[in-house]
Amino acid sequence: MRLPLIERYRAFLPVSLNTPVVSLLEGSTPLIPLKGPEEAKRRGVQIYAKYEGLNPTGSFKDRGMTLAVSKALEGGAKAVACASTGNTAASAAAYAARAGMTAIVILPAGYVALGKVAQSLMHGARIVQVEGNFDDALRLTRELTERFPVALVNSVNPHRLEGQKTLAFEVVDELGDAPHYHALPVGNAGNITAHWMGYKAYFAAGRASRLPRMLGFQAAGAAPLVLGRPVEKPETIATAIRIGNPASWEGAIRAKEESGGLIEAVTDEEILEAYRYLAREEGIFVEPASAASLAGVWRLLREGRLEEGTRVVLTLTGHGLKDPATAEKVAQLPPPVPATLEAVARASGLL
Ligand SMILES: *Cc1c(COP(=O)(O)O)cnc(C)c1O
């Protein structure tokens, strides 16, 4: 039987028997071996995709939210709040609904993918759209939660990172050891920080014999960690990582340096190439931000920067259905045809 994430990894998490477990049976997502791309096959590099789109609300945020909301409830909170590029909001809204709490979600107006807005709406969150970007929304949410009795559930809440570190546990449990490399997209940088915490905790407990090198990829128009300074007006098609001043800046740099890894930028074109490839060649539909992980690894492969025979894990952070508008732009819907066999056969490419 599938267990709540908190039950599965209770020994590694800051919970007690008094903690009410608020769960939607998150985690336990598939680790799918990719067939390609060609450059990986040629070098004998095996890539595995941790498909986080299969979490209850369609992103890895559920791993952190089960813990953050459970701990908020344990502490007597009646409401939770977050700033969000969309997925944190969707997750907070669902877990708050489950817990009988109120969720307040603060979104950068006009830059949240449609599926994520729909989720927050349907789960009954109080939605506030601010005329600003994510960084503005996070600043306001922090101020709001300092002034009012509302629990902050952004990844600056340490329970979020504690929950998200379980992704590394699942990878090691499945592969029998840590991979050589672990690649993921980086926005607010909580997740790369959490992954690294997880690998270190498992290594310390003797569950893994090595640590992976962490490969973080930001979008070129929103790459503060690569530039070494905040970006005032971040821009990218990958709205989930459209962040100019990551809250977990130091955590990300530590993960990179301690692991001997790297944080680089990929262009929107590279992101879209990987986005298309995953859907068309591998059958895995992700949202654009998720594809940044493959885009980065692909570039390393082309530049001959990954050794022969290595194992690489990608975190595919969110489901493709989150952002139907980008899918429709990238792969165009053909116009309707008359309802005749000939027209249908012709439009199908069979005639
Ligand atoms: C939140 C999110 C990210 C970025 O994770 P950070 O912890 O903010 O670095 C990447 N992809 C998706 C789909 C996300 O929802």
Side-chain angles (χ1 to χ4, degrees):
M1 207 182 75
R2 209 180 171 102
L3 284 175
L5 189 71
I6 290 175
E7 299 301 352
R8 203 167 159 214
Y9 293 112
R10 184 173 272 280
F12 290 91
L13 296 172
V15 289
S16 74
L17 292 174
N18 295 325
T19 311
V21 174
V22 181
S23 173
L24 291 163
L25 305 186
E26 54 292 314
S28 303
T29 54
L31 186 67
I32 307 170
L34 296 192
K35 298 185 302 170
E38 201 49 49
E39 291 85 346
K41 274 196 288 194
R42 228 179 293 136
R43 288 188 70 78
V45 170
Q46 179 62 59
I47 304 177
Y48 297 85
K50 186 70 170 152
Y51 191 22
E52 289 290 288
L54 296 191
N55 272 296
T57 77
S59 86
F60 73 83
K61 300 299 198 301
D62 295 343
R63 292 179 185 274
M65 207 53 74
T66 181
L67 201 68
V69 171
S70 297
K71 294 299 283 186
L73 191 61
E74 183 180 3
K78 302 264 188 297
V80 297
C82 62
S84 180
T85 59
N87 282 332
T88 301
S91 187
Y95 282 82
R98 185 86 181 165
M101 300 169 89
T102 301
I104 297 167
V105 307
I106 306 199
L107 311 177
Y111 285 93
V112 178
L114 184 62
K116 306 175 189 181
V117 176
Q119 289 177 289
S120 296
L121 282 168
M122 286 306 295
H123 290 306
R126 292 189 196 158
I127 300 179
V128 182
Q129 299 194 71
V130 296
E131 295 163 346
N133 60 30
F134 171 82
D135 304 286
D136 299 317
L138 181 56
R139 176 175 47 78
L140 290 162
T141 308
R142 285 174 125 151
E143 288 170 20
L144 192 77
T145 54
E146 276 162 24
R147 280 277 296 277
F148 300 92
V150 177
L152 178 64
V153 292
N154 276 105
S155 57
V156 293
N157 175 334
H159 296 128
R160 280 277 311 280
L161 302 190
E162 291 288 335
Q164 284 168 211
K165 77 185 181 189
T166 59
L167 189 147
F169 299 169
E170 289 182 8
V171 169
V172 174
D173 287 344
E174 186 111 356
L175 293 180
D177 206 339
H180 301 99
Y181 293 93
H182 193 128
L184 72 166
V186 176
N188 212 25
N191 213 24
I192 189 169
T193 305
H195 277 57
W196 184 236
M197 280 165 56
Y199 279 118
K200 283 199 297 188
Y202 243 33
F203 180 75
R207 304 277 185 109
S209 76
R210 60 171 174 247
L211 292 162
R213 290 177 194 271
M214 299 304 301
L215 308 175
F217 296 104
Q218 299 207 285
L225 296 169
V226 180
L227 298 172
R229 57 175 165 76
V231 173
E232 191 100 8
K233 291 196 163 54
E235 272 311 336
T236 168
I237 191 159
T239 51
I241 52 173
R242 184 175 168 271
I243 293 175
N245 191 12
S248 295
W249 189 299
E250 283 104 46
I253 299 300
R254 219 175 308 125
K256 174 186 87 163
E257 288 177 354
E258 288 179 8
S259 75
L262 54 83
I263 298 179
E264 293 188 0
V266 288
T267 64
D268 278 9
E269 290 68 38
E270 289 175 298
I271 289 172
L272 289 178
E273 181 191 17
Y275 172 68
R276 249 185 248 111
Y277 169 84
L278 283 167
R280 296 183 65 135
E281 309 296 331
E282 301 281 358
I284 303 172
F285 191 23
V286 300
E287 66 171 286
S290 310
S293 55
L294 177 61
V297 167
W298 211 339
R299 183 197 298 156
L300 298 184
L301 282 165
R302 284 172 174 151
E303 294 175 353
R305 292 161 69 194
L306 293 182
E307 304 82 7
E308 300 251 4
T310 50
R311 273 180 160 184
V312 181
V313 171
L314 310 175
T315 302
L316 297 182
T317 46
H319 203 291
L321 291 171
K322 294 273 192 177
D323 187 359
T326 299
E328 215 182 11
K329 245 182 274 159
V330 166
Q332 292 203 340
L333 190 64
V337 299
T340 67
L341 180 59
E342 196 194 320
V344 170
R346 214 170 273 293
S348 313
L350 297 173
L351 256 185

